[in-house]
Amino acid sequence: MKTTVFIKAGQVAVENVDKPKIIEADDAIIRVVRSCVCGSDLWAYSGHDDKESGSQNSGHEVIGIIEEVGSAINTVKKGDFVIAPFTHGCGHCAACRAGFEGGCQGHDRSTNFSGGYQAEYVRYAHADWSLVKIPGQPEDYSEGMIKSFLALADVMPTGYHAARVANVQKGDTVAVVGDGAVGLCAVIAAKMCGAKRIIIMSRHKDRQELALEFGATDVVEERGEEGIAKVLELTNGDGVDAALECVGTQLSTETALAIARPGAAIGRVGVPHTKDINLGDYFFQNAIIAGGPASVTTYDKSVLLDAVLKGEINPGKVFTHTYKLDDVDRAYKDMEARKTIKSMLVMD
């Protein structure tokens, strides 16, 4: 089968490897229908993270068809169409019961996250509770719906997680820091939660337009101190009720904290690439800082899949370009150059 391999900063390539096999009783083998490139995949590709040459890709978002299941799998079977969340919760530990399977305590943390999924087939660990079954088969749906299902493997639940941990309420004023796929999905989530005003911090016209379509009410193009001043101006100096940080850098984190009113919550879901923040600096702000890996299975099963099936949300619009797996390096390059918001990979 074909899989993507990291060659060096600025280059990935497709290689042929053995098809994965069942190893543990709770494994499932999935034939990938769609995969994609995540903004977090770009950290190593751009040379900001160390990664060994020849190592597997960091892709972690797929939808596909079950090929085979281990003996402990009771919830899905061969032929089922599924979303494969990038988190692999057990469903019964304290973290999963509380709806935080990104920190599942039921198995070793190293097996709780997907990786190497820009490929034709994947082995999905701890599949019994984590996989989310989609009614029917891929051919039953439009391409737009297929894209939205793929968004449910990561970016839409991650955007929703930002809104959840920031406790976005009906009538709130919310700012979204970051205009990537997660930030745009956070706009959808804030609207789902009833926010009356949603400020997107974005410098790119195509992303601004999509954010407005998703429910944003205001656009702030400025960054740093100028961006902070603009948000405060828009809120009459008060600051926002919730700030959704969807990048993970020092600048984005400090911006989120600076635009939040006293007592506001900051939902952090950007993979951290930041220096340590001195929480003592924010003591008098009474800031609530929360976040981490999204609760993908919980959100998909309880809220998001139903919303997609009913046509209430359309997060698949973040996939603005489609590529064959053989063209995966171009998919990375175009995302890095911001020629596409999010690259989708189609298997032959």
Side-chain angles (χ1 to χ4, degrees), residues 165-166 253 257 264-268 277-279 282 286-291:
V165 298
T253 303
L257 283 159
I266 292 87
R268 296 185 65 196
I277 295 170
N278 182 5
L279 293 179
Y282 303 96
N286 273 296
I288 302 163
I289 304 171

Side-chain angles (χ1 to χ4, degrees), residues 97-154:
R97 292 197 309 272
F100 288 94
E101 66 266 21
C104 179
Q105 300 162 300
H107 42 252
D108 187 270
R109 184 180 176 185
S110 65
T111 65
N112 196 36
F113 300 98
S114 299
Y117 281 16
Q118 290 158 356
E120 292 180 313
Y121 292 87
V122 301
R123 169 181 166 252
Y124 191 91
H126 312 303
D128 194 53
W129 181 79
S130 288
L131 291 176
V132 180
K133 186 176 177 180
I134 303 169
Q137 293 291 302
E139 55 268 25
D140 299 329
Y141 297 100
S142 67
E143 187 62 19
M145 285 290 281
I146 293 292
K147 289 179 177 179
S148 284
F149 293 146
L150 181 56
L152 296 186
D154 179 354

Side-chain angles (χ1 to χ4, degrees), residues 40-343:
S40 62
D41 298 332
L42 296 179
W43 289 109
Y45 188 81
S46 302
H48 298 295
D49 285 349
D50 292 332
K51 190 170 175 64
E52 184 178 352
S53 178
S55 59
Q56 72 174 15
N57 68 83
S58 56
H60 49 270
E61 305 156 88
V62 300
I63 56 174
I65 304 296
I66 299 291
E67 282 274 309
E68 185 182 359
V69 297
S71 60
I73 302 299
N74 300 298
T75 56
V76 294
K77 63 184 185 303
K78 180 178 173 63
D80 283 348
F81 183 27
V82 296
I83 300 163
F86 79 94
T87 50
H88 300 228
C90 69
H92 55 74
C93 70
C96 287
R97 292 197 309 272
F100 288 94
E101 66 266 21
C104 179
Q105 300 162 300
H107 42 252
D108 187 270
R109 184 180 176 185
S110 65
T111 65
N112 196 36
F113 300 98
S114 299
Y117 281 16
Q118 290 158 356
E120 292 180 313
Y121 292 87
V122 301
R123 169 181 166 252
Y124 191 91
H126 312 303
D128 194 53
W129 181 79
S130 288
L131 291 176
V132 180
K133 186 176 177 180
I134 303 169
Q137 293 291 302
E139 55 268 25
D140 299 329
Y141 297 100
S142 67
E143 187 62 19
M145 285 290 281
I146 293 292
K147 289 179 177 179
S148 284
F149 293 146
L150 181 56
L152 296 186
D154 179 354
V155 289
M156 185 62 235
T158 298
Y160 192 86
H161 192 58
R164 175 200 177 187
V165 298
N167 196 30
V168 175
Q169 299 292 309
K170 184 176 180 179
D172 278 354
T173 294
V174 177
V176 178
V177 184
D179 63 359
V182 170
L184 292 168
C185 288
V187 172
I188 296 175
K191 185 176 180 181
M192 292 177 75
C193 292
K196 70 175 180 181
R197 192 174 190 185
I198 305 170
I199 303 166
I200 179 73
M201 302 192 76
S202 168
R203 296 182 296 166
H204 304 90
K205 185 173 177 57
D206 58 338
R207 298 161 191 249
Q208 294 170 4
E209 291 174 350
L210 190 53
L212 292 169
E213 180 181 340
F214 283 165
T217 56
D218 302 87
V219 175
V220 171
E221 295 189 351
E222 295 85 354
R223 297 183 70 188
E225 293 299 325
E226 291 182 352
I228 293 166
K230 184 66 176 179
V231 173
L232 293 177
E233 178 187 336
L234 288 172
T235 57
N236 297 316
D238 295 333
V240 298
D241 299 306
L244 312 186
E245 191 283 305
C246 302
V247 184
T249 64
Q250 183 81 12
L251 178 62
S252 61
T253 303
E254 291 182 342
T255 296
L257 283 159
I259 60 178
R261 62 161 171 75
I266 292 87
R268 296 185 65 196
V269 295
V271 178
H273 283 74
T274 179
K275 299 176 183 177
D276 288 338
I277 295 170
N278 182 5
L279 293 179
D281 293 342
Y282 303 96
F283 178 78
F284 291 98
Q285 189 177 337
N286 273 296
I288 302 163
I289 304 171
S295 307
V296 182
T297 301
T298 292
Y299 300 152
D300 283 354
K301 288 181 177 181
S302 62
V303 179
L304 298 178
L305 177 57
D306 189 56
V308 166
L309 289 170
K310 289 179 177 177
E312 295 170 353
I313 61 172
N314 190 4
K317 288 190 174 184
V318 299
F319 293 104
T320 50
H321 287 78
T322 300
Y323 307 79
K324 292 184 177 181
L325 182 59
D326 286 336
D327 299 321
V328 64
D329 191 60
R330 174 50 55 191
Y332 271 79
K333 282 182 166 57
D334 286 355
M335 271 190 70
E336 183 182 37
R338 294 186 179 270
K339 293 181 179 179
T340 180
I341 297 175
K342 190 167 177 64
S343 298

